[in-house]
Amino acid sequence: MEISSHQFHLLEQLNEQRKQDLFCDCNILVEGKVFKAHRNVLFASSGYFKMLLSQSSKETSQPTIATFEVFSPETFMVILDFVYSGKLSLTGQNVIEVMSAASYLQMTDILNVCKTFIKSSLDISEKEKDHYLSLSAKSTNSEPTHPSLYRSRRKAKSNPRRSCSIPDDKANTVNENSWSSYGSYLSSEVILQRAETQLSKRGRKQGSMRKRRKHLGLAQTRDFVQYKSNKAERASGGCSTADSSHVSRVREEAECDAENAADRDDYGYNHESEVMPKRWSVAQLEQELSRTPEFVELKAEELYTSMPTILGVMSSWNEDDLPRMRFKCPFCTHTVKRRADLKRHLRCHTGERPYPCEACGKRFTRLEHLRNHFQTIHQAGKLICRKCKRHVTELTGCVVQQGTRRYRLCHKCLAETNFDSIPDDLDAEHSPVSSTGNKRSKWALEEEQKSDEETVEEEPYNLVVRHVNDDTPAEVDEKVKPNLR
DNA sequence: CTGGGGAGGGGGCCC
DNA sequence: TGGGCCCCCTCCCCA
């Protein structure tokens, strides 16, 4: 026979003992402030303490002292309260730092809750994705102002990119490696269950999980997966075909949340905490879905500015047994050496894509990607015949245009292609085709793209051939059959 | 069904 | 610190 309240009372007693400094055998010094706790509890709660206390377990007569300078006493207080009560007092202000500290202390459950919290409060990528998809559903090829971003050759993928995983397996591992001893009726567990339910549901719907890149294997836990960047990827360019199911999914999750909210109190849900901070009504969803990429950037900027100074000190050790200073992503286990690299990495979580291609509208996370894209797609920068794959020069080949896409054909392959006629509506002056494959500045490219849009996007399925002679744009334009590839 | 290639995305690292 | 380059991986399309 199992008395369900036993675990709760046990933890309650331990918490009382902690508050009264009874039997506390571990002192934790955080930026000068001393916290007292029980080794057993810390050992059971944190991978970090597990390691630490394992090493000092032989000397049980003396109280263990742990010192931390990488997070604030307030942050540790939140974590310690959670350890002893199962209630995590997250707010928009402390979530990042709590997450960072939890990462440091290897408390994966708190990490998950923090991620859920952030995801629920921001939910940038999901909304942004849905926004794009809703646009995608509306936009057609005859709508040049909504560029080909929305009709990318990549279909709306149910499976994300390599660095993006859906936390299905994470949901499964939470209960294995962690703190089920706290009892399923405790609020943390309830929260986690809900987070798991929510995430796994999303994961099931979004499709298969992706293996992480092997060089990311240095992560602390193998089962700790990323879950955001897939959304980020789809949010801003990777999606194309209309997929209204994404919109309905957001609604569905909101409704699910609303349902869950009703019985939260029954499980001692912490009212002070904001673990599930937002309940989206349909009206709110509609409003959110109408947000723009600027919204993403704004939110991303908020995230950046709200980040603590130290995002994480990794637990990896070098040969000298000294901890390596690395910056840890608050969304995943990825660590980088430089803060700038972390900022760059965070874009895959926030969905921020600050570099739009003005020729096709596709947005990129990096300028270099935009540049590569433009040179390849819109400038025919590769001096390779698309058909025979041979190297072509300005003399031996020419640039072929299809919509906003340009590529090169050698004269031989060009002659083998059946051309219909030369369109007259393309003014040679507007030709953005450069005879050189040289790199240009972004702004120079944009100037070219504007004219490109005006002239070409009107007939996106026309294949236009432009002969390129040195610095003079093509004078001869020919229309050939569409969909040549 | 499968392999090749194009395009895009992300990480490491140099300048 | 940001820009840029290189490399690798993944996805998708097509033959």
Side-chain angles (χ1 to χ4, degrees):
Chain A
M1 181 176 176
E2 184 177 318
I3 301 174
S4 59
S5 60
H6 173 68
Q7 292 165 305
F8 175 76
H9 289 309
L10 183 63
L11 195 61
E12 206 172 42
Q13 279 299 311
L14 285 171
N15 199 18
E16 283 300 314
Q17 290 177 18
R18 172 178 71 107
K19 289 175 180 174
Q20 296 170 18
D21 195 10
L22 282 175
F23 311 118
C24 290
D25 50 6
C26 185
N27 295 334
I28 305 107
L29 193 62
V30 183
E31 290 185 351
K33 186 169 181 179
V34 179
F35 295 86
K36 292 182 179 296
H38 303 96
R39 274 192 263 203
N40 289 343
V41 176
L42 295 175
F43 186 97
S45 306
S46 156
Y48 180 93
F49 279 110
K50 187 171 283 185
M51 281 199 334
L52 182 75
L53 296 170
S54 299
Q55 292 167 0
S56 61
S57 60
K58 296 170 185 173
E59 305 164 9
T60 52
S61 57
Q62 297 294 323
T64 303
I65 299 175
T67 306
F68 298 103
E69 300 289 340
V70 294
F71 42 75
S72 67
E74 293 76 19
T75 301
F76 186 71
M77 174 81 83
V78 171
I79 290 177
L80 197 59
D81 283 344
F82 171 73
V83 166
Y84 276 91
S85 70
K87 296 179 181 177
L88 189 63
S89 299
L90 281 184
T91 68
Q93 283 72 43
N94 71 7
V95 60
I96 298 290
E97 199 170 353
V98 169
M99 192 170 178
S100 179
S103 170
Y104 185 86
L105 296 171
Q106 298 174 35
M107 302 169 81
T108 51
D109 283 0
I110 295 184
L111 270 176
N112 288 332
V113 175
C114 288
K115 284 198 282 189
T116 305
F117 179 93
I118 293 171
K119 192 154 63 67
S120 299
S121 56
L122 292 181
D123 221 356
I124 298 169
S125 303
E126 190 71 31
K127 295 177 183 60
E128 192 60 20
K129 171 189 67 183
D130 292 331
H131 170 61
Y132 275 109
L133 287 169
S134 63
L135 286 176
S136 167
K138 296 174 194 170
S139 66
T140 64
N141 287 340
S142 61
E143 192 177 357
T145 51
H146 285 298
S148 57
L149 163 64
Y150 311 123
R151 50 177 189 275
S152 156
R153 58 194 289 268
R154 289 173 189 248
K155 291 179 180 175
K157 287 176 281 188
S158 59
N159 46 350
R161 286 199 160 276
R162 126 182 79 71
S163 59
C164 327
S165 320
I166 312 289
D168 275 354
D169 60 341
K170 180 60 193 171
N172 294 333
T173 57
V174 164
N175 287 335
E176 293 171 8
N177 62 6
S178 55
W179 321 3
S180 54
S181 60
Y182 283 175
S184 60
Y185 53 88
L186 293 182
S187 60
S188 65
E189 194 67 20
V190 173
I191 292 164
L192 284 169
Q193 284 176 354
R194 300 198 184 287
E196 290 169 27
T197 303
Q198 189 180 25
L199 292 176
S200 62
K201 189 172 91 174
R202 181 172 302 178
R204 282 197 302 273
K205 290 179 181 179
Q206 289 191 341
S208 62
M209 201 185 65
R210 175 125 332 131
K211 289 179 183 175
R212 301 198 53 178
R213 275 175 69 167
K214 57 185 176 186
H215 71 268
L216 291 181
L218 49 80
Q220 287 172 305
T221 54
R222 278 177 297 169
D223 58 343
F224 196 145
V225 296
Q226 297 172 303
Y227 68 96
K228 275 296 243 186
S229 50
N230 54 330
K231 299 178 198 167
E233 192 273 336
R234 288 186 305 243
S236 45
C239 52
S240 58
T241 57
D243 185 359
S244 58
S245 65
H246 287 77
V247 178
S248 61
R249 183 192 314 141
V250 177
R251 293 189 188 194
E252 201 175 316
E253 288 172 0
E255 289 163 3
C256 179
D257 272 353
E259 289 172 12
N260 291 338
D263 57 320
R264 217 161 257 138
D265 292 347
D266 298 338
Y267 294 90
Y269 184 82
N270 185 2
H271 290 268
E272 293 175 0
S273 78
E274 300 174 19
V275 172
M276 297 292 184
K278 284 196 178 182
R279 307 268 87 76
W280 296 99
S281 67
V282 173
Q284 284 174 315
L285 279 168
E286 294 290 350
Q287 186 181 352
E288 288 302 314
L289 291 173
S290 66
R291 302 293 178 95
T292 63
E294 285 71 24
F295 173 71
V296 176
E297 292 177 17
L298 184 67
K299 282 297 183 184
E301 194 59 36
E302 284 179 14
L303 181 65
Y304 298 148
T305 54
S306 68
M307 278 181 180
T309 308
I310 296 176
L311 284 161
V313 184
M314 278 307 294
S315 56
S316 60
W317 273 262
N318 60 18
E319 293 172 356
D320 301 326
D321 218 26
L322 296 173
R324 278 188 199 139
M325 191 67 181
R326 292 181 72 93
F327 294 92
K328 186 181 177 312
C329 173
F331 293 101
C332 68
T333 57
H334 182 62
T335 63
V336 292
K337 285 182 180 176
R338 303 188 316 149
R339 188 187 298 271
D341 285 338
L342 178 61
K343 187 174 181 180
R344 186 178 71 174
H345 165 79
L346 283 171
R347 283 187 188 144
C348 76
H349 295 297
T350 63
E352 184 190 20
R353 287 168 182 267
Y355 305 106
C357 172
E358 294 206 0
C360 66
K362 188 165 173 53
R363 302 177 73 92
F364 296 88
T365 56
R366 299 190 209 171
L367 179 60
E368 61 191 283
H369 289 166
L370 169 62
R371 190 170 290 141
N372 290 337
H373 160 81
F374 189 82
Q375 285 177 2
T376 304
I377 302 300
H378 305 302
Q379 272 198 322
K382 288 185 178 176
L383 298 176
I384 296 172
C385 173
R386 181 136 184 167
K387 197 172 177 185
C388 67
K389 310 297 180 190
R390 272 181 244 163
H391 181 267
V392 294
T393 65
E394 308 301 339
L395 297 174
T396 62
C398 62
V399 174
V400 172
Q401 180 166 327
Q402 182 181 21
T404 60
R405 287 193 166 221
R406 296 167 194 275
Y407 49 88
R408 291 173 189 270
L409 288 178
C410 64
H411 292 313
K412 185 182 176 185
C413 293
L414 190 61
E416 293 173 357
T417 311
N418 294 323
F419 300 106
D420 295 334
S421 63
I422 304 171
D424 294 328
D425 58 331
L426 292 174
D427 189 343
E429 288 182 357
H430 289 170
S431 171
V433 177
S434 167
S435 61
T436 68
N438 295 339
K439 294 171 184 175
R440 299 168 171 226
S441 73
K442 175 188 176 186
W443 316 117
L445 301 182
E446 288 175 354
E447 286 303 311
E448 293 180 342
Q449 294 157 20
K450 286 175 184 173
S451 58
D452 187 13
E453 283 182 314
E454 292 169 6
T455 56
V456 179
E457 194 65 16
E458 301 294 326
E459 298 182 15
Y461 285 100
N462 290 344
L463 183 62
V464 179
V465 180
R466 299 191 171 198
H467 295 276
V468 180
N469 298 321
D470 295 328
D471 292 330
T472 58
E475 296 293 332
V476 182
D477 297 330
E478 296 181 60
K479 188 164 76 178
V480 299
K481 62 182 180 182
N483 300 326
L484 176 68
R485 183 191 154 96

